[in-house]
């Protein structure tokens, strides 16, 4: 038997990482819009890992120099950790920059197809696309150490334990006790709200504006409340139940 | 159909091994052929609690490595001939457990045994992961204090996301709460969480409350699972738990402060 103590261990783990879907080759536009996003939600974007998605861009026949793009993104303060939907040359550029190449998830391909339905395509296209995503419904308790990320609204019918973290780009509804961290509007949506039946959270945040548990001492327990943003301030308000 | 039960907690020293020994004995005494496995490689003590430490020839790792057959390694309990113990290795390090190896041994055990009780090591690392990975039912052993409750919550998260049943999208592991080392007096003094507090935090089906009891130490010193001490409160509590697990409806005991109860009764 060897006497060297075990120094490392491999584990499989799942992370949610934002995907940046590009649909313009105009670097100035990209830089401007990224800077705006970071300003809106520095909590979420500053030093955030990021996967670049070039599928749309390549489909539209635009070109993109990956090394220039990566430099731009790093300047804005984010860390590209992967690329997908790139062509052979773009993938090679990425690998040269030590950025791994991922394949496109098929479920997402089909959902992005849906978005190009006739009614939608009539609208003028934004260069940085806002994805239309549906609600995520969860019926099991979210336990300490677990993390949930929803691209749209997040509806949870069970409790969220202390030590758990739930994030949504849209609204968060918890029809039970909220004891962990809840962050709504994490991509900067200031109209996002958090609703819960019993507020005992470690942290609540809407579009990067947050309050920690210490700030919530005065909150009445065991009563449904909603949390929303008004003039950059988080408002916590009882929800009147009419019988 | 056999059931694999993991006795787990996250936090150490809360009573997993005590519980594993007691419920394995309880199930066997009710006529079910039962095996109890020590997953705590390097720190084995299930064999001490079961009083078979002097009869260990081969262990779990030997079976995984093909150095012994399962029948060579299983030790028949001295008090109940339907109960078998598979001890952990004291000399190997815990990397000797592989998921594939554990799976094979459990599959083989399933052919012979109705219940297979897995005594998990503390923590949420490899050993604890392997002990719960193949489980059908989980007994989550919790002490009435905040850190133990938090670790149990963490373990519940892993049970529902990192187990074989979760990964293969099967019906989830059935989870049961066992609140151990409970002392109604100390709850009253505000030194411990109450049953209600713990259930409020974990929202989990309560299988039973085991009181803090000297009989547990006495039992482990004499190498007899405490459930065999039928006069003791802890023994009776474990007996209730086994009965409830098997579908019997028994009222909960050991939650109220007895002295307080009598005092109230007699207006003292
Ligand atoms: N109900 C009880 N009353 C009094 N003492 C108890 C009770 N349950 C367990 N103990 C004591 O607590 C200690 C730890 O118990 P045990 O070994 O069963 O815990 P464990 O969870 O298996 O520990 P580990 O994490 O180290 O494997 C032992 O000394 C045991 O005697
Ligand atoms: Mg133990």
């Amino acid at each position: 038997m060897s006497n060297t103590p075990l120094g490392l261990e491999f584990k499989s783990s799942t992370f949610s990482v934002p995907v940046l879907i590009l649909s313009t080759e105009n670097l100035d536009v990209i830089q401007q819009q990224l800077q705006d996003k970071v300003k809106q939600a520095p909590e979420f974007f500053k030093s955030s890992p990021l996967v670049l998605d070039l599928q749309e861009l390549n489909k539209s026949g635009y070109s993109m120099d990956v090394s220039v793009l990566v430099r731009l993104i790093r300047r804005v303060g984010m860390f590209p950790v992967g690329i997908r939907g790139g062509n052979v040359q773009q993938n090679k550029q990425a690998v040269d920059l030590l950025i791994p190449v991922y394949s496109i998830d098929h479920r997402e391909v089909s959902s992005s197809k849906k978005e190009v339905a006739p009614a939608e395509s009539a609208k003028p296209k934004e260069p940085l696309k806002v994805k239309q995503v549906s609600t995520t419904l969860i019926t099991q308790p979210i336990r300490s150490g677990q993390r949930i990320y929803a691209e749209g609204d997040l509806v949870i019918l069970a409790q969220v334990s202390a030590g758990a973290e739930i994030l949504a780009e849209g609204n968060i509804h918890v029809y039970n006790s909220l004891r962990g961290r809840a962050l709504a509007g994490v991509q900067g949506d200031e109209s996002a709200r958090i609703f819960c039946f019993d507020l005992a959270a470690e942290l609540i945040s809407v579009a990067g504006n947050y309050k920690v548990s210490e700030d919530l001492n005065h909150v009445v327990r065991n009563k449904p409340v909603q949390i929303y943003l008004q003039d950059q301030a988080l408002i916590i308000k009882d929800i009147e139940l009419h019988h | 159909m056999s059931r694999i039960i993991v006795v787990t907690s996250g936090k150490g020293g809360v009573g997993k091994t005590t519980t594993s020994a007691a419920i394995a004995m309880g199930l066997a005494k009710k006529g079910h052929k039962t095996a109890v496995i020590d997953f705590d490689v390097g720190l084995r003590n299930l064999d001490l609690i079961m009083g078979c430490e002097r009869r260990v020839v081969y262990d779990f790792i030997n079976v995984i490595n093909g150095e012994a057959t399962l029948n060579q390694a299983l030790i028949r309990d001295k008090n109940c001939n339907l109960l078998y113990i598979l001890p952990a290795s004291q000399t190997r390090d815990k990397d000797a457990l592989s998921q594939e190896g554990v799976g094979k041994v459990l599959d083989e055990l399933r052919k012979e045994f109705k219940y297979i009780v897995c005594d998990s090591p503390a923590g949420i690392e490899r050993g604890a992961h392997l002990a719960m990975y193949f489980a059908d039912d989980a007994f989550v052993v919790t002490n009435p204090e905040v850190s133990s409750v938090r670790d149990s919550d963490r373990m519940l998260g892993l049970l529902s996301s990192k187990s074989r049943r979760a990964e293969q999208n099967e019906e989830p592991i059935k989870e049961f709460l066992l609140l151990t080392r409970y002392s109604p007096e100390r709850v009253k003094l505000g030194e411990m969480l109450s049953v209600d507090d713990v259930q409020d935090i974990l929202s989990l089906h309560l299988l039973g409350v085991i009181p803090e009891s000297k009989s547990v130490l006495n039992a482990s010193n004499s190498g007899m699972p405490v459930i065999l001490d039928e006069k003791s409160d802890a023994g009776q509590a474990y007996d209730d738990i086994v009965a409830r697990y098997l579908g019997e409806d028994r009222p909960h005991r050991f939650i109220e402060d007895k002295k307080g109860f009598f005092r109230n009764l007699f207006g003292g």
Side-chain angles (χ1 to χ4, degrees):
Chain A
M1 217 202 315
S2 100
N3 289 324
T4 324
L6 183 70
L8 53 77
E9 185 175 7
F10 277 104
K11 275 199 193 152
S12 166
S13 201
T14 317
F15 296 92
S16 35
V17 176
V19 175
L20 181 67
I21 302 168
L22 292 172
S23 41
T24 177
E25 56 183 344
N26 185 332
L27 291 168
D28 293 334
V29 172
I30 293 175
Q31 172 155 358
Q32 188 55 53
Q33 298 196 0
L34 275 178
Q35 278 168 345
D36 290 349
K37 287 265 173 196
V38 175
K39 222 182 280 164
Q40 277 169 9
E43 268 276 286
F44 189 77
F45 285 115
K46 204 79 197 150
S47 308
S48 165
L50 195 72
V51 170
L52 304 171
D53 187 329
L54 305 184
Q55 185 177 229
E56 294 272 306
L57 198 77
N58 288 330
K59 250 195 260 163
S60 317
Y62 295 128
S63 66
M64 179 58 71
D65 183 327
V66 170
S67 47
V68 176
L69 178 64
V70 164
R71 232 175 295 140
L72 183 156
I73 290 170
R74 289 193 176 138
R75 256 204 316 274
V76 175
M78 286 183 270
F79 303 129
V81 294
I83 183 173
R84 65 182 194 186
N87 58 33
V88 177
Q89 202 204 334
Q90 288 165 336
N91 288 349
K92 182 173 178 318
Q93 281 183 313
V95 172
D96 287 343
L97 292 163
L98 306 179
I99 293 176
V101 175
Y102 295 99
S103 57
I104 295 275
D105 187 325
H106 291 289
R107 280 168 298 159
E108 285 182 35
V109 172
S110 61
S111 81
S112 70
K113 262 189 208 133
K114 255 184 266 149
E115 283 162 34
V116 205
E120 295 261 328
S121 58
K123 282 190 232 155
K125 254 197 181 172
E126 272 185 86
L128 284 180
K129 188 156 133 208
V130 180
K131 276 221 230 160
Q132 288 295 318
V133 279
S134 55
T135 300
T136 305
L137 174 70
I138 291 176
T139 55
Q140 298 290 317
I142 313 293
R143 303 290 185 179
S144 176
Q146 291 188 306
R147 188 169 187 269
I148 302 288
Y149 187 100
E151 292 185 1
D153 285 0
L154 179 58
V155 177
I156 300 177
L157 300 182
Q159 67 175 34
V160 177
S161 294
E165 187 172 50
I166 54 175
L167 305 103
E169 293 177 17
N171 304 300
I172 293 177
H173 304 250
V174 180
Y175 294 93
N176 208 308
S177 295
L178 170 55
R179 301 187 176 111
R181 300 158 64 91
L183 297 87
V186 289
Q187 301 278 10
D189 180 357
E190 299 191 343
S191 68
R193 293 184 179 212
I194 300 171
F195 305 86
C196 69
F197 267 30
D198 177 19
L199 180 62
E202 294 168 321
L203 178 144
I204 47 172
S205 162
V206 174
N209 301 270
Y210 63 87
K211 276 188 198 292
V212 292
S213 156
E214 246 181 30
D215 310 328
L216 302 176
N217 282 337
H218 64 282
V219 172
V220 186
R221 293 284 313 272
N222 288 311
K223 258 191 129 174
V225 295
Q226 59 168 322
I227 297 146
Y228 56 93
L229 211 49
Q230 202 171 61
D231 306 325
Q232 305 291 307
L234 274 190
I235 310 289
I236 301 169
K237 211 171 161 199
D238 288 4
I239 301 174
E240 298 295 333
L241 294 180
H242 300 281
H243 296 285
Chain B
M1 268 282 283
S2 61
R3 298 291 290 179
I4 297 178
I5 304 170
V6 63
V7 178
T8 187
S9 69
K11 193 171 161 67
V14 294
K16 292 180 293 295
T17 301
T18 304
T19 299
S20 300
I23 61 158
M25 178 62 80
L27 290 166
K29 296 275 278 186
K30 294 244 181 205
H32 304 291
K33 197 169 177 194
T34 301
V36 56
I37 310 180
D38 191 346
F39 273 78
D40 209 344
V41 177
L43 287 172
R44 75 173 200 215
N45 50 26
L46 178 70
D47 49 346
L48 292 171
I49 308 274
M50 301 294 304
C52 67
E53 74 279 8
R54 295 168 65 193
R55 290 189 286 146
V56 175
V57 182
Y58 296 109
D59 57 52
F60 194 13
I61 308 280
N62 290 138
V63 179
I64 287 179
N65 291 346
E67 295 151 2
T69 66
L70 197 47
N71 282 332
Q72 286 174 309
L74 284 168
I75 303 172
R76 181 188 280 199
D77 185 79
K78 59 181 188 248
N79 294 301
C80 180
N81 60 11
L82 287 176
L83 178 60
Y84 290 77
I85 299 116
L86 185 54
S89 168
Q90 229 160 3
T91 53
R92 312 295 183 93
D93 59 51
K94 52 187 188 305
D95 309 309
L97 288 180
S98 65
Q99 182 157 308
E100 198 200 345
V102 170
K104 261 198 203 148
V105 173
L106 289 175
D107 278 344
E108 210 178 325
L109 285 167
R110 272 189 192 276
K111 290 184 206 144
E112 286 236 9
F113 291 91
K114 177 80 208 311
Y115 293 104
I116 301 152
V117 178
C118 303
D119 178 19
S120 174
I124 53 173
E125 301 301 322
R126 188 185 175 80
H129 175 77
L130 286 174
M132 68 84 168
Y133 185 77
F134 296 96
D136 303 305
D137 300 316
F139 286 13
V140 179
V141 178
T142 306
N143 289 169
E145 41 136 340
V146 174
S147 66
S148 171
V149 173
R150 176 71 71 95
D151 285 1
S152 292
D153 194 62
R154 187 90 198 255
M155 185 47 76
L156 287 161
L158 298 176
L159 289 169
S160 65
S161 61
K162 296 277 154 38
S163 60
R164 186 190 59 86
R165 281 176 175 268
E167 285 179 6
Q168 305 194 347
N169 257 323
E170 289 177 19
E171 196 185 314
I173 294 178
K174 284 209 182 72
E175 303 157 343
F176 303 93
L177 173 63
L178 270 72
L179 198 54
T180 62
R181 309 201 68 165
Y182 195 75
S183 159
E185 298 85 37
R186 295 191 57 194
V187 171
K188 234 182 182 175
L189 293 171
E191 296 172 356
M192 269 187 181
L193 298 175
S194 70
V195 180
D196 289 343
D197 293 337
V198 177
Q199 271 197 289
D200 184 42
I201 299 173
L202 292 178
S203 52
L204 203 61
H205 177 72
L206 178 71
L207 200 55
V209 174
I210 298 102
E212 172 77 23
S213 168
K214 275 206 191 73
S215 60
V216 171
L217 188 63
N218 294 340
S220 77
N221 284 339
S222 56
M224 300 259 280
V226 69
I227 199 169
L228 293 176
D229 183 355
E230 289 163 16
K231 291 206 181 65
S232 71
D233 47 1
Q236 291 171 11
Y238 278 118
D239 191 63
D240 285 354
I241 281 171
V242 171
R244 284 190 203 108
Y245 173 70
L246 293 174
E248 225 177 281
D249 194 11
R250 288 198 188 175
H252 284 284
R253 299 192 268 175
F254 313 111
I255 294 178
E256 299 294 328
D257 180 355
K258 257 184 260 141
K259 286 178 233 132
F261 176 74
F262 282 112
R263 230 178 284 138
N264 292 344
L265 209 61
F266 299 116

